[in-house]
């Protein structure tokens, strides 16, 4: 998943030019009941009233999105009927609507789900609609493609980096790790009493796979061969961290929000987590921390992190509605809108120039911006086959860390499950 869905609360930033207009325009949004509305698709109604759906259920996204939508709706001359659906119900609902050709005009979906929805034929090709991807990161563009056509584009993305407690590192005379050997040594040295050296999420879902993929891909492994020596090397790293006590055995039950709680409580000296945690971390003035890229196995390697975040899609309806919806998406992808959305929501802009400007103004985001250039779309190797393989990999992580299975055997079993 992208945010993986428990978001931290964000204090509202100072008003920027256009914010008041955005707030006023946001008043035009009609809020539908969460998960209970009819969710009428793009084929119903006049072209000046568009439907939109997403799964955001917590701040800052669920508060910032209506404002950005309202601003772009006002510029386009439309009203937008908004619907928020619980994450577990979201894709089943969209797939059902796709089969009936009643998809909403606009949907903000987790990027790994894009290909599955595009395969139904219910989405408008944004490539054919003339939407330009100039200036966007190529990896982000790829995340929204299916069979050579662009069906979704992210206004911003997120990823994973390594957070570290600067006070603890200073006291121990350590520098933040850049390699796996340094990560292992630092985690061991910083483990003391109830405090573990490092924390990560190894829960048995896409969330755990998402956290493991930076190590998996940076080692040179491929989702097409879950039992490769490179994959074994990555899972061995995690198993050794847990087995030595440098990471808690509870990582198999922790979500990314739980990991953040452990780090803030001083129970972990380092953690793997995303930029969406920054507002909560920064609110604790007693906590001093830094952020660096994910450590690499050795010289010459570069961190390869999974792209998190959602993509905007347009559902098939009629020419007039589709044109209006595409115009709204173009607005949402604009330089200023992308930068504002990313800053408010804890994301990295898809626009490379906006991302560079954000990193320059906020050094805490520099590591995340560095990694976007080498990040990987989760569906890039397997397309619509990704969800099945992701779950097989999550099961292997659980088997190795909680079940006592060797990394070799756990990954061999995962490869067999993925093949069947």
């Amino acid at each position: 998943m992208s945010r993986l869905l428990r978001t931290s609360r964000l204090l509202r930033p100072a008003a920027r030019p256009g914010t008041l207009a955005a707030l006023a325009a946001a008043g035009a949004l009609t809020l539908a009941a969460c998960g209970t509305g009819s969710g009428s698709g793009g084929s119903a109604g006049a072209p000046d009233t568009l439907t939109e759906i997403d799964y955001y259920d917590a701040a800052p996204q669920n508060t910032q999105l209506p404002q950005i939508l309202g601003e772009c709706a006002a510029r386009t001359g439309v009203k937008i009927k908004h619907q928020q659906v619980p994450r577990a119900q979201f894709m089943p609902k969209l797939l059902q609507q796709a089969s009936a050709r009643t998809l909403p005009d606009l949907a903000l979906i987790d990027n790994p789900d894009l290909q599955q929805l595009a395969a139904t034929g219910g989405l408008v090709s944004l490539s054919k609609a003339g939407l330009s991807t100039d200036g966007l990161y190529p990896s982000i563009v790829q995340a929204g493609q299916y069979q050579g056509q662009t069906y979704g584009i992210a206004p911003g993305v997120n990823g994973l980096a390594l957070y570290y407690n600067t006070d603890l590192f200073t006291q121990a005379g350590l520098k933040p790790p850049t390699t796996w050997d340094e990560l292992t040594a630092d985690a061991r040295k910083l483990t003391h009493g109830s405090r573990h050296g490092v924390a990560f999420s190894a829960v048995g879902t896409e969330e755990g796979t998402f956290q493991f993929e930076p190590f998996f891909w940076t080692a040179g492994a491929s989702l097409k061969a879950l039992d490769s020596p490179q994959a074994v090397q990555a899972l061995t790293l995690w198993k050794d961290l847990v087995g030595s006590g440098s990471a808690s055995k509870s990582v198999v039950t922790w979500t990314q929000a739980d990991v953040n709680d452990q780090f803030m409580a001083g129970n972990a000296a380092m953690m793997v987590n995303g930029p969406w945690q920054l507002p909560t971390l920064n609110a604790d003035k007693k906590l001093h921390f830094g952020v660096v890229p994910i450590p690499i196995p050795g010289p010459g390697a570069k961190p390869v992190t999974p792209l998190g975040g959602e993509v905007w899609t347009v559902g098939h309806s009629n020419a007039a509605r589709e044109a209006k919806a595409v115009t709204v998406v173009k607005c949402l992808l604009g330089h200023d809108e992308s930068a504002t959305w990313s800053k408010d929501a804890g994301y990295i802009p898809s626009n490379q120039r906006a991302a560079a400007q954000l990193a320059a103004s906020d050094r805490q985001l520099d590591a995340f911006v560095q990694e976007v250039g080498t990040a990987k779309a989760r569906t890039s190797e397997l397309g619509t086959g990704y969800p099945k393989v992701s779950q097989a990999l999550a099961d292997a992580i659980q088997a190795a860390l909680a079940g006592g299975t060797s990394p070799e055997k756990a990954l061999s079993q995962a490869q067999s499950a993925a093949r069947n």
Side-chain angles (χ1 to χ4, degrees):
M1 318 176 53
S2 50
R3 282 274 297 90
L4 303 167
L5 279 175
R6 182 173 155 195
T7 44
S8 48
R9 296 197 174 274
L10 174 66
L11 299 176
R12 283 289 296 142
R16 63 180 183 89
T19 298
L20 296 179
L23 290 171
L29 297 177
T30 302
L31 299 180
C34 298
T36 59
S38 62
S40 58
S43 60
D48 61 349
T49 301
L50 304 179
T51 55
E52 181 273 343
I53 192 169
D54 60 76
Y55 54 69
Y56 290 145
D57 62 357
Q61 278 85 346
N62 71 334
T63 55
Q64 304 304 332
L65 180 59
Q67 296 174 17
I68 298 295
L69 272 174
E71 183 173 342
C72 286
R75 291 183 187 178
T76 308
V78 299
K79 294 181 180 180
I80 297 178
K81 183 179 180 181
H82 170 81
Q83 184 182 25
Q84 180 267 317
V85 174
R87 181 66 175 95
Q89 302 172 20
F90 187 71
M91 276 305 291
K93 181 180 183 70
L94 286 184
L95 290 171
Q96 183 181 36
Q97 290 175 327
S99 66
R101 291 296 187 266
T102 58
L103 279 171
D105 298 296
L106 298 161
L108 190 59
I109 69 172
D110 200 10
N111 76 74
D113 294 329
L114 182 280
Q115 295 206 6
Q116 185 182 12
L117 192 59
T120 67
L123 296 180
V124 171
S125 167
L126 299 179
S127 304
K128 293 180 180 179
L131 189 144
S132 173
T133 58
D134 291 345
L136 305 185
Y137 285 98
S139 57
I140 294 175
V141 175
Q142 184 183 43
Q145 291 183 332
Y146 173 70
Q147 294 186 345
Q149 294 288 313
T150 299
Y151 288 94
I153 290 291
V157 297
N158 58 59
L160 296 167
L162 186 74
Y163 289 77
Y164 65 100
N165 185 306
T166 55
D167 291 338
L168 294 176
F169 269 72
T170 299
Q171 293 169 12
L174 299 173
K175 294 181 179 180
T178 60
T179 66
W180 288 6
D181 284 346
E182 291 174 358
L183 174 65
T184 300
D186 291 354
R188 183 182 302 112
K189 189 169 184 178
L190 291 165
T191 297
H192 180 73
S194 62
R195 185 186 71 220
H196 295 276
V198 64
F200 46 82
S201 171
V203 67
T205 64
E206 166 65 9
E207 190 163 357
T209 301
F210 180 73
Q211 284 248 318
F212 182 62
E213 282 169 339
F215 301 90
F216 180 87
W217 279 329
T218 300
S222 168
L223 292 174
K224 294 181 179 180
L226 298 182
D227 54 354
S228 70
Q230 295 87 350
V232 171
Q233 181 187 16
L235 188 52
T236 298
L237 171 69
W238 271 27
K239 186 174 178 66
D240 288 348
L241 287 170
V242 172
S244 67
S246 296
S248 171
K249 293 180 179 178
S250 296
V251 296
V252 295
T253 65
W254 285 349
T255 66
Q256 293 176 117
D258 296 329
V259 170
N260 194 58
D261 291 343
Q262 294 295 320
F263 183 73
M264 293 188 69
N267 295 328
M270 296 178 281
M271 72 167 176
V272 177
N273 228 315
W276 59 85
Q277 306 291 8
L278 287 169
T280 299
L281 293 168
N282 286 327
D284 185 350
K285 301 306 179 183
K286 296 181 180 179
L287 179 64
H288 305 130
F289 65 92
V291 190
V292 294
I294 294 291
I296 57 177
K302 290 185 178 181
V304 183
T305 59
L307 283 173
E310 295 77 24
V311 296
W312 282 111
T313 63
V314 174
H316 271 305
S317 53
N318 58 59
R321 295 177 69 84
E322 290 173 9
K324 289 285 189 179
V326 169
T327 301
V328 172
V329 172
K330 288 180 179 179
C331 175
L332 293 165
L333 297 176
H335 177 279
D336 292 344
E337 289 73 22
S338 175
T340 300
W341 164 252
S342 298
K343 180 66 175 177
D344 290 350
Y347 280 44
I348 304 302
S350 298
N351 182 286
Q352 295 187 59
R353 184 165 62 90
Q357 291 172 347
L358 184 59
S361 65
D362 188 345
R363 304 311 298 178
Q364 290 180 333
L365 293 172
D366 184 56
F368 297 103
V369 174
Q370 287 182 48
E371 291 176 338
V372 172
T374 54
K376 195 169 185 176
R378 282 169 278 174
T379 55
S380 61
E381 293 179 273
L382 302 171
T384 56
Y386 174 78
K388 181 178 182 180
V389 174
S390 170
Q391 187 57 56
L393 188 53
D395 292 342
I397 295 168
Q398 288 274 305
L401 272 55
T405 306
S406 70
E408 292 86 352
K409 184 176 181 180
L411 290 167
S412 177
Q413 292 171 342
Q415 182 62 22
S416 295
R419 190 181 300 117
N420 295 331

